[in-house]
């Protein structure tokens, strides 16, 4: 059993936290064929493997765990094929939420930030909240106007 620090428990109870989720949370989901979404590293490695040749800076970024940087390189190199690649790996399989998604939702945090391409948590939260869950992107003009 985890021994949670009392200060953390208090902050969660007061809804005074930001929950950050990444590919490890989504990796708990499965589609109708039993497949799981790839982790960041596996997705980037596969996207890299689709290239006819690989620039050394891309390999270096992956080897140094600079996944966001590697993702930006791959997006630029794949160009028009990038969106379809993301859809094929993260949207079209139609992954179902896992227990961890419910557990995160049940924490009732005001803010949950997702670094994921998939929308597994977002779709789950919208469903569980009867549509009252608000999704904002970092580029939205009114992101600072959202309060709860």
């Amino acid at each position: 059993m985890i021994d949670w620090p009392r200060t953390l428990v208090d902050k969660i109870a007061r809804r005074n936290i930001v929950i950050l989720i990444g590919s490890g949370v989504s990796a708990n989901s499965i589609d109708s064929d039993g497949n799981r979404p790839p982790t960041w590293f596996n997705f980037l490695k596969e996207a890299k493997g689709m290239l006819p040749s690989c620039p050394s800076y891309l390999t270096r970024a992956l080897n140094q765990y600079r996944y966001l940087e590697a993702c930006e390189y791959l997006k630029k190199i794949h160009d028009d094929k990038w969106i379809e690649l993301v859809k094929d790996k993260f949207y079209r399989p139609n992954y179902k939420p896992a227990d961890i998604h419910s557990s995160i939702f049940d924490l009732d945090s005001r803010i949950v930030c997702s670094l994921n391409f998939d929308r597994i948590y977002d779709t789950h939260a919208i469903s569980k909240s009867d549509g009252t869950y608000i999704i904002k992107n970092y580029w939205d003009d009114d992101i600072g106007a959202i309060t709860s």
Side-chain angles (χ1 to χ4, degrees):
M1 176 161 223
I2 298 174
D3 184 21
W4 297 94
R6 185 76 203 146
T7 55
L8 178 60
V9 173
D10 288 343
K11 289 185 182 292
I12 293 170
R14 288 178 170 55
R15 300 180 74 218
N16 196 18
I17 61 166
V18 173
I19 297 173
L20 180 67
I21 60 174
S23 65
V25 170
S26 292
N28 289 277
S29 300
I30 59 172
D31 66 10
S32 58
D33 295 324
N35 299 311
R36 296 184 185 278
T39 61
W40 257 102
F41 177 74
N42 288 334
F43 169 68
L44 297 173
K45 188 171 111 178
E46 187 174 339
K48 175 187 165 194
M50 298 169 128
L51 300 174
S53 65
C54 181
S56 60
Y57 59 83
L58 173 56
T59 300
R60 192 168 34 258
L62 278 172
N63 289 342
Q64 294 175 353
Y65 309 103
R66 298 187 331 248
Y67 297 154
L68 186 57
E69 182 180 339
C71 184
E72 287 297 322
Y73 292 147
L74 285 162
K75 179 180 176 185
K76 185 173 182 164
I77 294 167
H78 278 284
D79 198 26
D80 294 339
K81 298 177 189 122
W82 182 251
I83 296 299
E84 291 304 309
L85 177 60
V86 169
K87 286 179 180 178
D88 285 345
K89 294 296 174 186
F90 297 102
Y91 299 150
R92 293 186 180 121
N94 194 23
Y95 299 109
K96 303 299 179 213
D99 290 344
I100 193 168
H101 294 99
S102 293
S103 296
I104 292 169
F105 182 82
D106 290 344
L107 288 173
D108 195 30
S109 177
R110 286 187 208 159
I111 301 173
V112 177
C113 296
S114 175
L115 304 174
N116 297 333
F117 285 126
D118 65 68
R119 295 187 181 126
I120 300 167
Y121 181 79
D122 298 340
T123 303
H124 178 69
I126 288 169
S127 169
K128 296 293 279 183
S129 70
D130 294 325
T132 61
Y133 185 81
I134 299 171
I135 298 173
K136 299 305 292 176
N137 297 297
Y138 70 89
W139 61 79
D140 291 342
D141 291 336
D142 65 342
I143 194 165
I146 300 301
T147 59
S148 57

